[in-house]
Amino acid sequence: MDEEHLIDEAFQHLIDTYTTSPHRKKVDIITKAFNFARQAHKGVKRLSGEPYIMHPIAVAQIAVEEMGLGSTSICAALLHDVVEDTDYTVEDIENIFGPKIAQIVDGLTKISGGIFGDKASAQAENFKKLLLTMSDDIRVILIKICDRLHNMRTLESQPANKQYKIAGETLYIYAPLANRLGLNKIKTELENLSFRFEHPEEYADITDKLSFTKEQRDRLFQQFTEPIRTTLDAMGFDYEIKARVKSPYSIWSKTQNKHVTFDEIYDILAVRIIFTPKNRDEEISECFNIYVALSQIYKSHPDRLRDWINHPKANGYQALHVTLMSKQGRWIEVQIRSDRMNEVAEQGFAAHWKYKEGSEIAEDEELNDWLSTIKEILDDPQPDAMDFLDAIKLNLFASEIFVFTPKGEIKTMPAGCTALDFAFQIHTFLGSHCIGAKVNHKLVPLSHPLQSGDQVEILTSKSQHVQPTWLNFVSTAKAKAKITAALRKQDRETARQGEEMLAQWLRDADMEPTSSVLNRLCDYHSLQKHESLFLAIGKKNIILSSDDLDELRGKHRRTASGSTSGWRRYVPFLGHSAKKTADDTNKPITVDKNFNRRQPVYISEDTIGKLKFLSCCHPIPGDDVLGYIDNSNQIAIHKRACPIAARLKSSFGNRILDAKWDMHKQLFFDATIEIRGIDRKGMLYDVSQIISDKMDINMKRITVSSDQGIFDGTIELHVHDRDEVKIIVDNLKTIDGLQEVQQIM
């Protein structure tokens, strides 16, 4: 099939989908936008080799088919890359298509190429632009999510380092954003696609296991729902019952966070009942009627009833969740929702907000509250871009709780917030002078975590002022920002005093506080900035002494790398060639303009000593890893699942490199295994016999404690690679009484 025919067919499919949607039919303007974009992108190809225009068509298709958006959004999606990639301007778009479409295209152009640029500050600025455009027209962010979804679906054609950057940024920003806007299906797909590219082997393993257990799940679903269908038929409901299978990414996250295996996850299957209410005004009570009927068939879990109907989630999600005990002895979650609630859950209420074409939809208060929260964060800019991104993520993507003021007003707060968060939420003065709180009329400290339904009264004192320790137990962006601002103000005064103390000390030593003197003192104390040095002196964390003078006068013997600070890179390996490798650490691989960033970095016995292995995640051969070009243009190696790497991917994506192992079992690496089980005589002997005798593995340290017949222990080993760890874990699981065995980071 020739390219022109392929393009025509894709556009026709778009038009067919649009004309069967509930929107007013504006085919003419969509066709006009398509022809304009087709001409603008003529002759341009994507990395996959297909014509570029296929991408805007695909984005528009997602917008109409998967989000239910109308003609304005479809036109903007078709035109979203025209201003950035061609000579046309926003003014041209406005003249041809009008101000509304031009405004959305302009918003999309400002945040193009992903949220992130080359520097962290630029990334935060772009993110601010993205969020600010949301408050002008929510369709900007919706189309941006459509654009990202299509890019993820076609990520195969990108080089590996780009795949890690885009996948990491998708997990960090776009998936939570889609979730917050109620786009559940899209959120799940973004997570799964990111997981597939970041951890291909784990993804394949979980999808294989899901396929293998499908027949067993289908049988359980059939047996469990049979009496439910009989009851709903008798009640006269028009309904549909669906099986919801946990996504591969959710399963993997649970295995990582809860340290369980695939076989130990019991909520892989959930059941969804979607019914058409007999009376629209009675749909809430009808949900509860169904719940009561189900409770008479199966025993319900007393602590697992979730009422999202009377208290919808911030993204508009409504449903009644109940967990029932099946006849097979398995707890199964059942989600009860009306057809309207289901539509909002699948497509998100943002798409049905005031811009739904063809009908008048009132502005949704919760969405407006969310946008005002964004503006509040943006009005109080933070100096560190990473803090900004974390604050946004923390504040906007958390689940909510409902808290009452002493007068009975309800306030929505992020789950996990404390009494101090609540104080800052009410007023900055209240937070800054908070000494405690009364929760449900009982006195509690500032750090007391709040629960849904709590009534909170804040207690203050004029003599109270902001403490650095407060940052350890607040979670909302507003509280963190206000505390940080107050501490910065205090620190500025302390740093000024420290600078005066340093100047006096230098004068006494007949020296001047020049940049070179300050730089040498910063190096000596392992500090990055002069301000940090002044602050440390002001806080008495650094007491200037004769050692500092010796350093400034060059009396210290410097190491081969030119440093006197005693800093060493973490060397994760040992063995017969380790000494040779360690001697080469003063010649690291340096990334210059001739370095090919598209090629993988191979970690071998020859190169391992020339790379940085930091102590955050301890990668060993067999782990999924990536490289990161640090500020000194050297390459640091991280596990792809490392929390530090997650932040680097989403914020410094252009510095990410593909990394691959090329080791030959010559070097040993540290690995730690945790064990837990029923204590008995000879247990430790059995463990050591399997590791030392049967497998001939060198144990570095073993620590075991026993309490009331249950023992916990850690075993530190020297291994060649991840495969050896897996074999050890599998062998240990065969020991009688050993209940849990897992490798820790």
Side-chain angles (χ1 to χ4, degrees):
M1 191 187 293
D2 69 330
E3 287 183 355
E4 296 302 313
H5 187 58
L6 196 73
I7 295 167
D8 290 338
E9 210 170 66
F11 179 64
Q12 189 55 50
H13 178 52
L14 174 67
I15 291 297
D16 292 345
T17 310
Y18 171 68
T19 51
T20 56
S21 72
H23 296 288
R24 292 203 295 265
K25 305 298 177 275
K26 296 183 181 176
V27 175
D28 290 350
I29 192 164
I30 294 173
T31 307
K32 185 178 175 184
F34 164 66
N35 290 328
F36 185 86
R38 185 181 199 168
Q39 189 57 41
H41 294 302
K42 197 172 181 64
V44 182
K45 304 265 186 181
R46 296 190 88 208
L47 276 179
S48 60
E50 70 175 10
Y52 194 87
I53 186 64
M54 294 296 282
H55 169 63
I57 294 172
V59 175
Q61 183 71 38
I62 293 169
V64 67
E65 186 175 350
E66 300 181 48
M67 281 196 194
L69 299 176
S71 60
T72 304
S73 301
I74 295 169
C75 291
L78 289 167
L79 299 166
H80 79 272
D81 279 334
V82 165
V83 173
E84 188 192 0
D85 294 345
T86 72
D87 294 332
Y88 289 106
T89 63
V90 175
E91 288 72 27
D92 295 330
I93 302 292
E94 185 170 352
N95 291 335
I96 301 167
F97 297 99
K100 182 47 72 178
I101 291 172
Q103 181 192 6
I104 297 171
V105 171
D106 185 36
L108 288 160
T109 304
K110 283 175 185 166
I111 56 173
S112 62
I115 293 171
F116 305 102
D118 288 345
K119 295 185 174 66
S121 58
Q123 291 152 15
E125 284 307 313
N126 282 336
F127 196 23
K128 286 180 187 179
K129 282 180 192 170
L130 180 145
L131 294 167
L132 282 170
T133 55
M134 282 179 68
S135 43
D136 294 332
D137 194 323
I138 194 73
R139 287 175 290 195
V140 172
I141 190 63
L142 294 174
I143 297 166
K144 190 66 196 169
I145 290 171
C146 295
D147 178 41
R148 175 49 58 117
L149 180 57
H150 185 247
N151 283 336
M152 286 301 296
R153 286 173 177 173
T154 55
L155 198 58
E156 203 81 60
S157 56
Q158 293 282 355
N161 61 328
K162 276 279 181 66
Q163 288 178 354
Y164 303 149
K165 171 200 180 293
I166 294 168
E169 162 181 298
T170 299
L171 263 187
Y172 191 80
I173 299 294
Y174 286 97
L177 199 51
N179 182 49
R180 183 61 181 207
L181 290 168
L183 304 165
N184 186 54
K185 275 174 75 173
I186 288 175
K187 180 230 23 166
T188 303
E189 187 176 351
L190 287 172
E191 286 175 343
N192 283 334
L193 287 167
S194 299
F195 174 41
R196 183 184 141 208
F197 285 103
E198 290 225 278
H199 303 284
E201 287 178 12
E202 283 98 330
Y203 178 84
D205 183 47
I206 290 173
T207 48
D208 284 349
K209 284 175 179 170
L210 283 173
S211 300
F212 184 70
T213 55
K214 183 179 185 303
E215 193 178 317
Q216 183 186 336
R217 273 198 315 277
D218 289 347
R219 193 162 56 249
L220 176 62
F221 174 73
Q222 196 61 42
Q223 291 168 350
F224 180 75
T225 56
E226 204 169 306
I228 295 176
R229 291 177 197 278
T230 306
T231 300
L232 292 177
D233 288 340
M235 293 172 77
F237 277 112
D238 180 12
Y239 66 90
E240 185 182 4
I241 300 183
K242 292 181 176 178
R244 188 231 65 188
V245 179
K246 208 173 185 69
S247 71
Y249 174 75
S250 296
I251 292 170
W252 179 77
S253 295
K254 195 156 191 176
T255 63
Q256 299 296 303
N257 298 332
K258 305 278 189 188
H259 300 300
V260 292
T261 64
F262 180 90
D263 298 327
E264 293 168 319
I265 298 174
Y266 291 112
D267 60 345
I268 287 177
L269 174 70
V271 171
R272 192 168 285 159
I273 299 172
I274 302 156
F275 71 96
T276 305
K278 300 171 189 172
N279 180 346
R280 279 284 161 207
D281 297 332
E282 299 289 325
E283 68 175 354
I284 291 178
S285 60
E286 288 182 20
C287 278
F288 280 95
N289 290 341
I290 292 172
Y291 161 60
V292 171
L294 296 188
S295 302
Q296 290 168 356
I297 306 171
Y298 296 113
K299 183 178 172 57
S300 62
H301 195 301
D303 302 325
R304 293 301 301 271
L305 177 66
R306 298 285 181 268
D307 178 9
W308 300 116
I309 293 179
N310 291 309
H311 301 288
K313 289 186 180 181
N315 61 16
Y317 178 83
Q318 279 185 292
L320 194 60
H321 290 197
V322 55
T323 303
L324 303 173
M325 174 59 77
S326 70
K327 297 285 193 286
Q328 291 75 26
R330 295 277 287 268
W331 288 110
I332 295 179
E333 183 181 79
V334 179
Q335 301 166 359
I336 306 166
R337 52 172 86 154
S338 70
D339 49 2
R340 179 195 63 80
M341 295 172 190
N342 188 60
E343 188 182 352
V344 171
E346 294 297 317
Q347 289 197 326
F349 72 31
H352 303 271
W353 189 40
K354 64 181 178 184
Y355 298 109
K356 185 166 182 180
E357 294 161 45
S359 62
E360 289 297 316
I361 305 290
E363 290 190 18
D364 193 288
E365 278 184 34
E366 282 174 343
L367 194 57
N368 285 339
D369 285 348
W370 185 39
L371 297 175
S372 69
T373 306
I374 292 169
K375 285 179 174 172
E376 194 174 80
I377 297 169
L378 299 178
D379 289 342
D380 193 358
Q382 299 182 30
D384 188 294
M386 291 302 294
D387 286 350
F388 175 79
L389 291 174
D390 278 344
I392 294 280
K393 190 170 190 289
L394 201 109
N395 210 67
L396 300 183
F397 308 151
S399 53
E400 270 75 18
I401 60 170
F402 305 95
V403 184
F404 295 91
T405 67
K407 291 182 179 175
E409 293 173 42
I410 193 164
K411 297 283 180 186
T412 305
M413 299 287 293
C417 70
T418 60
L420 188 58
D421 283 307
F422 183 76
F424 276 105
Q425 187 70 24
I426 302 297
H427 198 280
T428 304
F429 179 86
L430 210 60
S432 302
H433 295 84
C434 179
I435 53 170
K438 283 186 177 178
V439 173
N440 306 326
H441 312 294
K442 289 180 183 173
L443 196 61
V444 297
L446 304 179
S447 57
H448 179 80
L450 300 179
Q451 307 290 329
S452 249
D454 282 348
Q455 188 165 29
V456 186
E457 180 188 349
I458 299 300
L459 308 174
T460 60
S461 164
K462 286 182 181 177
S463 61
Q464 175 70 293
H465 59 275
V466 173
Q467 308 290 330
T469 53
W470 288 6
L471 285 169
N472 298 332
F473 54 78
V474 291
S475 60
T476 57
K478 182 174 184 178
K480 278 182 182 287
K482 297 297 181 188
I483 293 168
T484 306
L487 292 173
R488 267 204 304 274
K489 190 175 177 184
Q490 293 172 17
D491 282 351
R492 278 197 294 272
E493 178 57 29
T494 309
R496 189 187 61 73
Q497 293 169 2
E499 190 174 5
E500 287 175 2
M501 289 161 67
L502 176 61
Q504 184 59 52
W505 181 80
L506 287 170
R507 275 197 297 274
D508 292 344
D510 294 326
M511 299 177 86
E512 291 291 321
T514 62
S515 278
S516 119
V517 165
L518 296 178
N519 286 343
R520 291 189 72 175
L521 282 172
C522 282
D523 282 348
Y524 183 57
H525 291 286
S526 302
L527 296 169
Q528 299 292 319
K529 299 175 183 173
H530 295 172
E531 289 76 15
S532 305
L533 179 68
F534 301 150
L535 186 61
I537 294 170
K539 285 183 171 179
K540 309 282 194 303
N541 292 340
I542 291 177
I543 307 295
L544 296 165
S545 66
S546 56
D547 281 350
D548 296 274
L549 274 181
D550 288 344
E551 166 61 22
L552 292 175
R553 289 168 179 159
K555 290 183 181 178
H556 275 148
R557 185 175 63 80
R558 303 183 75 80
T559 65
S561 62
S563 166
T564 61
S565 65
W567 178 88
R568 268 192 200 146
R569 90 179 69 222
Y570 159 68
V571 182
F573 48 85
L574 51 127
H576 72 266
S577 58
K579 186 177 188 313
K580 169 184 170 292
T581 316
D583 290 343
D584 288 344
T585 54
N586 61 344
K587 296 176 185 173
I589 295 172
T590 306
V591 176
D592 55 23
K593 63 178 188 296
N594 299 318
F595 189 89
N596 186 351
R597 298 185 182 210
R598 294 173 72 95
Q599 290 294 323
V601 176
Y602 284 97
I603 311 165
S604 65
E605 283 81 4
D606 294 330
T607 62
I608 195 166
K610 301 176 183 180
L611 302 164
K612 284 186 177 177
F613 285 78
L614 307 179
S615 55
C616 52
C617 58
H618 298 290
I620 69 173
D623 283 331
D624 290 334
V625 289
L626 54 76
Y628 168 69
I629 304 166
D630 66 11
N631 291 333
S632 55
N633 286 328
Q634 294 176 22
I635 299 169
I637 302 296
H638 289 273
K639 285 185 185 177
R640 288 184 217 158
C642 168
I644 303 292
R647 299 181 78 195
L648 296 174
K649 281 180 289 194
S650 58
S651 304
F652 303 99
N654 57 317
R655 297 198 201 172
I656 298 296
L657 303 171
D658 186 16
K660 291 187 174 5
W661 295 99
D662 183 24
M663 306 296 289
H664 305 91
K665 294 189 184 288
Q666 292 178 22
L667 301 181
F668 287 99
F669 294 78
D670 290 340
T672 304
I673 290 174
E674 276 187 349
I675 55 175
R676 181 178 169 84
I678 311 298
D679 200 7
R680 61 171 169 80
K681 193 175 179 182
M683 174 64 80
L684 201 55
Y685 172 76
D686 290 349
V687 169
S688 60
Q689 191 179 41
I690 276 190
I691 295 173
S692 299
D693 299 350
K694 186 177 175 184
M695 302 195 62
D696 196 25
I697 298 288
N698 185 16
M699 275 194 291
K700 181 179 167 189
R701 182 184 292 119
I702 183 163
T703 311
V704 178
S705 63
S706 179
D707 182 28
Q708 297 181 359
I710 303 293
F711 77 89
D712 286 284
T714 56
I715 309 167
E716 294 176 33
L717 308 164
H718 293 321
V719 295
H720 289 114
D721 53 32
R722 170 75 52 226
D723 288 343
E724 272 187 11
V725 177
K726 187 175 184 309
I727 293 166
I728 294 164
V729 168
D730 289 345
N731 274 281
L732 288 174
K733 282 181 177 176
T734 64
I735 296 176
D736 183 36
L738 205 56
Q739 302 292 322
E740 296 172 23
V741 187
Q742 67 192 38
Q743 194 220 342
I744 58 174
M745 217 180 232

